[in-house]
């Protein structure tokens, strides 16, 4: 006698060598012998052989219209043989029964498992949601394949270019842009960086390293929110006759210190060191104060700050 049984989420077939009340000793096609719980056995048959039955059942299962099977399925809990009788014929063949089992087992969006070889219809709204999700997944996969093909051909799709530094240095491995680069890298047998360079995603080595620096050190960007300079309400003392000079280049935007020299005609010279005092105008807790506390300092680098 042969049996079809479930083992670790798969259906296997084999010849029964011996059987007790709670289990059976089964020999697989490979010659391996396994102990199978009686409750895991879903079909018993004399012929054909297990391998032949599984091949035939798989072929029949591929023809099952799942929407129609869902309509035919009984309400409440049911066994695969019951569905086979409703879907195929009143007395389904062994292959048709096994096909119904495989079809039910491999369509969890239509049928929920209710035990070994037993199932229950999923609610209609759940089926529709699952089908919509499957269709969306297919569209995303098609988009990934299209982008990967473009990358292999030497063209960088705009969405991939826009996510370039995130893909390379802080990737979301579920994002379609990242997956397209991985797929193209495998297909072309090129490292991602070389692949993207060949596809024209990297304009220059300088820009690449500069933007990488910004991406890693300024993940929120370098721009400031629109803020208005606070008004100075206190009367500040003015030094009469003092001319202060800052030592900066012509493009400086932060004149925050200066020097002055003042002679009094008596041989005494006063050297003045003038430092910006933003604290006189900034109110603790204000919007501009919060930005200053978050930024803390200015980062200087060649050509930028």
């Amino acid at each position: 006698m042969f049996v079809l049984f479930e083992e670790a989420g798969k259906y296997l077939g084999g010849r029964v060598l011996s059987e007790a009340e709670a289990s059976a000793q089964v020999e697989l096609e490979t010659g391996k012998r396994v102990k199978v719980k009686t409750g895991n056995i879903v079909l018993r048959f004399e012929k054909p052989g297990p391998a032949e039955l599984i091949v035939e059942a798989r072929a029949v299962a591929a023809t099952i219209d799942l929407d129609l099977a869902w309509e035919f399925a009984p309400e409440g809990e049911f066994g695969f043989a019951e569905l086979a009788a409703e879907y195929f014929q009143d007395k389904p063949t062994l292959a048709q029964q096994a096909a119904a089992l495989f079809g039910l087992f491999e369509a969890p969006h239509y049928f929920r498992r209710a035990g070994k070889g037993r199932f229950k219809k999923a609610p209609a709204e759940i089926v529709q949601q699952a089908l919509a999700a499957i269709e969306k997944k297919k569209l995303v996969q098609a988009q990934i394949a299209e982008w990967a093909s473009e990358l292999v051909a030497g063209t960088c799709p705009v969405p991939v270019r826009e996510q370039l530094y995130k893909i390379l240095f802080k990737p979301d491995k579920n994002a379609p842009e990242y997956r397209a680069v991985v797929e193209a890298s495998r297909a072309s047998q090129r490292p991602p960086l070389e692949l993207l360079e060949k596809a024209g995603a990297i304009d220059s080595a300088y820009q690449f390293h500069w933007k990488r620096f910004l991406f890693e050190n300024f993940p929120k960007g370098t721009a400031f929110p629109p803020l208005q300079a606070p008004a100075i309400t206190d009367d500040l003392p003015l030094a009469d006759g003092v001319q202060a000079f800052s030592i900066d280049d012509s493009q400086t935007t932060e004149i925050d210190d200066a020097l002055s020299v003042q002679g009094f005609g008596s041989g005494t010279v006063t050297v003045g060191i003038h430092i910006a005092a933003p604290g006189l105008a900034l109110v603790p807790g204000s919007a501009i104060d919060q930005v200053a506390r978050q930024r803390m300092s200015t980062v200087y680098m060649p050509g930028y700050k």
Side-chain angles (χ1 to χ4, degrees), residues 72-152:
F72 283 171
E75 297 297 332
E77 187 179 317
F78 61 91
F80 64 91
E82 296 174 64
L83 179 66
E86 292 287 345
Y87 186 86
F88 293 109
Q89 55 186 338
D90 186 41
K91 294 183 179 180
T93 65
L94 187 65
Q96 289 172 338
Q97 292 182 56
L101 173 64
F102 296 156
L104 289 164
F105 186 78
E106 294 169 1
H109 47 294
Y110 281 97
F111 304 99
R112 295 175 175 177
R113 298 187 64 189
K116 302 296 182 182
R118 299 194 64 77
F119 301 87
K120 189 174 182 179
K121 290 169 63 170
E125 61 273 16
I126 299 298
V127 172
Q128 293 305 315
Q129 291 172 11
L131 292 177
I134 291 171
E135 184 60 28
K136 181 179 179 181
K137 186 176 181 180
K138 288 180 180 178
L139 293 175
V140 170
Q141 191 56 48
Q143 182 65 82
I144 290 171
E146 181 181 341
W147 286 342
S149 179
E150 290 181 32
L151 286 166
V152 172

Side-chain angles (χ1 to χ4, degrees), residues 60-303:
V60 176
T63 68
I64 294 177
D65 183 327
L66 291 173
D67 288 314
L68 192 59
W70 187 87
E71 293 290 346
F72 283 171
E75 297 297 332
E77 187 179 317
F78 61 91
F80 64 91
E82 296 174 64
L83 179 66
E86 292 287 345
Y87 186 86
F88 293 109
Q89 55 186 338
D90 186 41
K91 294 183 179 180
T93 65
L94 187 65
Q96 289 172 338
Q97 292 182 56
L101 173 64
F102 296 156
L104 289 164
F105 186 78
E106 294 169 1
H109 47 294
Y110 281 97
F111 304 99
R112 295 175 175 177
R113 298 187 64 189
K116 302 296 182 182
R118 299 194 64 77
F119 301 87
K120 189 174 182 179
K121 290 169 63 170
E125 61 273 16
I126 299 298
V127 172
Q128 293 305 315
Q129 291 172 11
L131 292 177
I134 291 171
E135 184 60 28
K136 181 179 179 181
K137 186 176 181 180
K138 288 180 180 178
L139 293 175
V140 170
Q141 191 56 48
Q143 182 65 82
I144 290 171
E146 181 181 341
W147 286 342
S149 179
E150 290 181 32
L151 286 166
V152 172
T155 302
C156 184
V158 173
V160 174
R161 184 187 295 272
E162 291 174 347
Q163 297 290 323
L164 177 64
Y165 297 95
K166 186 175 182 180
I167 290 170
L168 290 174
F169 307 121
K170 197 174 181 181
D172 173 2
K173 295 186 178 181
N174 292 319
E177 295 86 357
Y178 172 81
R179 291 166 60 191
V181 171
V182 171
E183 189 172 313
S185 180
R186 288 173 180 166
S188 63
Q189 296 185 338
R190 287 177 175 169
L193 184 57
E194 180 184 338
L195 171 76
L196 290 164
E197 184 182 9
K198 295 288 185 183
I202 299 172
D203 299 324
S204 70
Y206 174 81
Q207 285 296 321
F208 172 77
H209 290 292
W210 160 240
K211 291 180 180 179
R212 176 182 179 179
F213 173 81
L214 293 180
F215 179 83
E216 292 179 342
N217 294 279
F218 299 92
K220 295 182 180 180
T222 58
F224 289 92
L227 296 170
Q228 186 173 0
I232 299 176
T233 57
D234 297 333
D235 292 331
L236 300 179
L238 295 177
D240 293 332
V242 173
Q243 287 185 308
F245 300 88
S246 69
I247 303 175
D248 291 291
D249 61 43
S250 61
Q251 296 182 341
T252 188
T253 58
E254 297 176 4
I255 303 176
D256 52 11
D257 54 36
L259 299 172
S260 68
V261 178
Q262 186 179 19
F264 292 97
S266 60
T268 300
V269 175
T270 299
V271 177
I273 300 174
H274 309 270
I275 305 296
L280 295 175
L282 298 183
V283 177
S286 64
I288 196 168
D289 176 58
Q290 291 177 4
V291 170
R293 291 176 184 276
Q294 291 171 359
R295 294 295 180 122
M296 296 300 291
S297 64
T298 301
V299 177
Y300 292 89
M301 64 210 77

